[in-house]
Amino acid sequence: MPDASKPTAPSATAPWKPQANPWLIAIAVMLATVLEVLDTSVANVALPHMAGNLSASTEEATWVLTSYLVSNAIVLPMTGWLSATFGRKRFLLGCVILFIIASGACGAAPTLGSLVFARIVQGAAGGALQPLSQAILMESFPPEKRGVAMAVFGLGVVVAPIIGPTLGGWITDNYSWRWIFYINLPLGLLALMMCQSFIEDPPYLKESKNQRNGSVDYIGFAFMSVGLATLQIILDQGQQVDWFSALWLRWFTGICVFSLIAFVFWELHVKHPIVDLRVLKDKNFAAGTVLIFMVGIVLYSTVTMLPLFLQNLLQYPALDSGMALSPRGMGAVLSMIIVGKCIGRVDSRLLIGFGFTMLAAASWKFGSLNMTIGMGDIIIPNVVMGLGMGFVFVPLTTTAMGGLPVEKMGNAAGIFNLMRNIGGGVGISIVTTMLSRGAQANQAHLAAHTSQFDPVFRQYAAGLTEALKGQVAIGAEHKSALAAIYRMMIEQATLLSFIDIFRWLAVICALCIAGVFILRKTKGAAGPIAAH
């Protein structure tokens, strides 16, 4: 008997390796990730077209975005549990198939209601693709190559939201908004074939399923679904209804807070939780989730604010404003190539700190915008911001998750990606509120200087009145001059609001630099991962 036990001992401790080449696995899951992330932003610029085509208002059409985010958020943290229950490969293939079908249904939707329903299904299917891809990559590559793998994964996560509005605008202008969804079909089929061919389930997933004995945490699922759904609706609709002045939003806030607190308490005490929050006991993972939350705020806030600035103040066409953001993707690609080679040779904390420094510098540069800037003043900070995103995302992911046992990576990846998405929702809600209310406050401040008792104002108004003679109706010169000054005042008030937002984002990035050193120092390239 002792002799018989010896051959099995090494297999119990040896790390699992997939049969296929890890890079083929990376390409397969990368395709699935790009599809999902792209659909979080590609539909934004097409909302007016959808509303007009489906006989709905623009505000009603925003549910096309909200419904996707709500179902996406609910599924994200459940990914680890669903993978263990159904098998990771089977679950991944099912999600890709459902995503393809839902994309076709979105493109063919005859009414707004059917489009929103299809987006709910699409968001639920897509919500699992990010954490599944991340967990599969972390498991498929040996510890010394995980940084390179995360660099490949990061290309989709960071670049796709940036090119989404540009691609969506181009497709909508040249074809139809329906093709925004139809393009998912061929890419989805390619991802499906590659996932079927190269991905396999690690043995520990079967062990995890046997340990659960078929038990389902229905109570945890209910608390989580209600909490995350109400949170996403609050973040998305809050500014439109003036936040807590709306009775229904106050009710939703109370339900959200209660549900999320009950969810955390329940998950920490139930034997087989649907989301294992105990993984947050790992110091690096806990700190990493906070930092990735901040990354979500900065990434999605700037992607939202820059097109608004370019289109509303500088009168850029939608396609041109999207093109102005594209260089950020180039910066991200370049930095991820560099970081992939630096991981394991340079302390990851230094790479993350350098990335946040670049993000802070780029955000502060955007805080010096004015009405006379050229395209170069937008492109250069965008490239720097893309470089910073690459330096943050890749080492932060490997540092946060690298010390976890492989059987916990699926669960951890779901939480990690959820926090980034929630950070994006929080960031967009904050900056849109700051833009609206900041513009009003700045307008009130500037209005104090547009008085007939101010000699500078009188002199400028008189000069403008004189300049308008012959260009407007006789006797209307003074009124036209005052109207022009009022438009300039609104323009400057809005500009100041944009400046305040970008400087606020720069301060957040600067604070994150200090937070980086909460992370434990990780091993070098040859260093082992704790789970192995």
Side-chain angles (χ1 to χ4, degrees), residues 434-449 489-490 492-500:
M434 289 180 65
L435 179 64
S436 175
R437 303 192 178 188
Q440 295 173 5
N442 292 327
Q443 183 178 338
H445 175 73
L446 294 175
H449 300 279
M489 182 181 67
I490 293 177
Q492 290 298 313
T494 306
L495 174 64
L496 290 173
S497 187
F498 277 111
I499 290 173
D500 291 339

Side-chain angles (χ1 to χ4, degrees), residues 28 56 74 107 171-172 176 202 207 231 239 243 266 271 287 303 310 329 336-337 448 459 465 500 510 523 531:
I74 292 172
I171 291 174
T172 303
S176 164
E207 298 173 5
L231 175 62
Q239 171 59 21
W243 292 102
W266 179 262
K271 186 176 181 181
V303 168
L310 294 173
M336 287 178 185
I337 294 173
Q459 182 179 358
T465 300
D500 291 339
K523 298 277 188 180

Side-chain angles (χ1 to χ4, degrees), residues 148 190 200 206 239 349 366 441:
V148 180
L190 178 60
E200 59 186 290
K206 296 180 181 178
Q239 171 59 21
R349 297 177 301 174
F366 282 132

Side-chain angles (χ1 to χ4, degrees), residues 1 11 54 149 153 203 221 275 298 348 385 404 464 476:
M1 292 298 292
S11 63
L54 299 175
F153 178 80
F221 174 74
V275 181
V298 176
S348 293
M385 185 162 279
L404 298 174
L464 187 58

Side-chain angles (χ1 to χ4, degrees), residues 340-398:
K341 296 181 178 180
C342 291
I343 288 286
R345 297 187 177 96
V346 181
D347 187 346
S348 293
R349 297 177 301 174
L350 296 178
L351 296 175
I352 300 169
F354 178 67
F356 275 120
T357 301
M358 298 181 78
L359 291 178
S363 299
W364 192 262
K365 179 63 177 176
F366 282 132
S368 60
L369 296 173
N370 56 63
M371 301 302 297
T372 61
I373 62 169
M375 183 67 83
D377 296 302
I378 297 294
I379 291 176
I380 293 175
N382 259 318
V383 172
V384 174
M385 185 162 279
L387 288 168
M389 283 292 176
F391 272 95
V392 170
F393 183 83
V394 178
L396 180 58
T397 303
T398 54

